[in-house]
Amino acid sequence: MTKTTLICGSLAFDKIMQYNGRFGETLLADQLHKVNVSFLVPTLRTEFGGCSANIAYNLNMLGGDPLIMATIGQDGGEYLERFDKLGISTRAIRKIEHTYTAQCFVTADLDNNQINAFHPGAMQFSHENNVADVGPLRVAIIAPDGREGMLKHARDCAAAKVPFMFDPGQQLPMFSGAELIEFINEASYLTANDYEFEMLMDRTGLSLPDIAGRLDALIVTRGEKGSEIYAKGERHEIPCVQADAVVDPTGCGDAYRAGLLFSIVNGHDWPTAGRLASLMGAIKIAHQGGQNHVATASEIADRFETEFGYRYSA
């Protein structure tokens, strides 16, 4: 049986800028109706980002077989070269020649307040990709992406009987209650943080037991409090793994999801899946950016054994 995991989601460049002042000293509360300001940003760095790439990066590190389905712009050559070097297949990535790759421009001040601008670019054309074109799959994830693409890929997976994980993330407000219920009914798994899950219940009118009862597993993350997995009428409490350092939470949720997907493909029980996911998040958070942490599959397995006293299968 194939172990290929289809990862539907965004590809993006993150432009991170640091302002060595405080926004509050420049933005006048009584003059916000006519803002015209410029912030000097002495430092600028570009990070490889996007949910699909972050998930694939971590799954590849674990020894999985990620297949990214996404759209990239005319400026995406460097990203494709990166995937080639990492050994991650690019055959399901569609290049949209008349637009740019999705980009997030982040300006942070000394208090870590942020002013962000997001350009969706090629992400808006994700619906041009077809799940049926990529061949046999073991599992898929529908991560934040273009709205129409997320709806289409979920329906494609359901039609092809490919079990998939629904991960609405920051795109959750883009969907109506009826659309979210459709996602839930089509999905095998759903993962969200505690805030997103509260919004999901509010939008759909469904309770936690209602939602969990329609899925093989519901996973709710709660930051430093760990996470909870509801499956087959059971609730599994997953501890938070202590990180070596808390440097940058960017991409931690994606690393967590990679751990879940690896466990699903390899037939782990849900407590093991949650613990591996938690470990992946802890490894990521100790590094800046979503794809700058490095570990081998054996190193991850060794650390898992140290943390939890047993070894998982791969």
Side-chain angles (χ1 to χ4, degrees):
M1 178 185 290
T2 180
K3 289 195 170 186
T4 301
T5 299
L6 184 68
I7 304 172
C8 303
S10 62
L11 285 176
F13 293 118
D14 297 328
K15 310 285 187 177
I16 316 296
M17 294 162 278
Q18 181 64 50
Y19 169 54
N20 292 332
R22 292 177 171 82
F23 295 143
E25 296 170 354
T26 304
L27 298 171
L28 304 177
D30 62 343
Q31 299 294 314
L32 293 181
H33 62 289
K34 53 179 181 180
V35 173
N36 185 358
V37 297
S38 177
F39 299 105
L40 176 66
V41 288
T43 61
L44 165 66
R45 74 178 196 273
T46 299
E47 296 283 1
F48 294 100
C51 296
S52 68
N54 290 345
I55 295 169
Y57 180 84
N58 286 279
L59 186 54
N60 185 60
M61 192 184 303
L62 278 162
D65 181 23
L67 178 62
I68 295 172
M69 174 174 280
T71 43
I72 204 162
Q74 59 185 261
D75 56 341
E78 185 182 4
Y79 222 148
L80 297 177
E81 290 173 8
R82 174 176 171 79
F83 290 138
D84 286 340
K85 289 178 182 176
L86 291 168
I88 296 174
S89 175
T90 60
R91 65 184 176 87
I93 298 175
R94 181 183 295 266
K95 192 171 186 180
I96 309 297
E97 294 285 0
H98 59 81
T99 188
Y100 292 103
T101 302
Q103 299 185 46
C104 186
F105 299 86
V106 181
T107 304
D109 72 359
L110 289 176
D111 295 326
N112 208 31
N113 296 309
Q114 293 185 353
I115 296 176
N116 298 342
F118 181 72
H119 172 65
M123 194 179 84
Q124 299 171 97
F125 300 90
S126 61
H127 58 276
E128 294 185 9
N129 283 323
N130 301 302
V131 172
D133 294 341
V134 303
L137 301 167
R138 171 62 182 84
V139 68
I141 181 169
I142 311 299
D145 203 353
R147 174 189 142 79
E148 297 308 314
M150 292 178 73
L151 287 164
K152 181 179 185 298
H153 298 150
R155 290 164 184 160
D156 285 354
C157 285
K161 294 184 168 45
V162 175
F164 74 89
M165 180 178 293
F166 178 44
D167 172 22
Q170 65 268 29
Q171 290 293 72
L172 195 153
M174 300 292 290
F175 300 106
S176 68
E179 288 168 333
L180 291 168
I181 289 172
E182 181 183 355
F183 276 119
I184 293 166
N185 289 340
E186 290 171 338
S188 296
Y189 321 99
L190 187 151
T191 181
N193 65 33
D194 44 5
Y195 178 82
E196 292 162 354
F197 190 68
E198 289 295 329
M199 184 184 296
L200 183 70
M201 289 192 291
D202 182 67
R203 283 278 173 107
T204 62
L206 300 175
S207 67
L208 188 154
D210 291 334
I211 295 171
R214 302 182 186 206
L215 300 160
D216 291 342
L218 165 65
I219 303 99
V220 181
T221 61
R222 300 190 182 280
E224 70 278 3
K225 296 180 182 177
S227 50
E228 300 159 0
I229 299 178
Y230 301 85
K232 296 181 179 177
E234 294 185 81
R235 175 184 175 275
H236 305 282
E237 189 164 344
I238 308 300
C240 183
V241 174
Q242 186 70 36
D244 293 338
V246 178
V247 175
D248 180 8
T250 304
C252 283
D254 297 326
Y256 184 100
R257 282 144 183 77
L260 293 176
L261 292 165
F262 183 81
S263 284
I264 290 169
V265 168
N266 288 282
H268 300 163
D269 59 25
W270 285 110
T272 298
R275 289 166 183 164
L276 180 57
S278 182
L279 173 60
M280 293 303 295
I283 292 171
K284 207 298 329 156
I285 204 170
H287 300 80
Q288 195 170 62
Q291 300 173 36
N292 294 321
H293 52 298
V294 178
T296 65
S298 60
E299 287 170 345
I300 296 169
D302 289 344
R303 182 162 175 185
F304 182 96
E305 187 171 13
T306 299
E307 291 283 345
F308 300 109
Y310 69 99
R311 206 167 184 89
Y312 57 78
S313 60

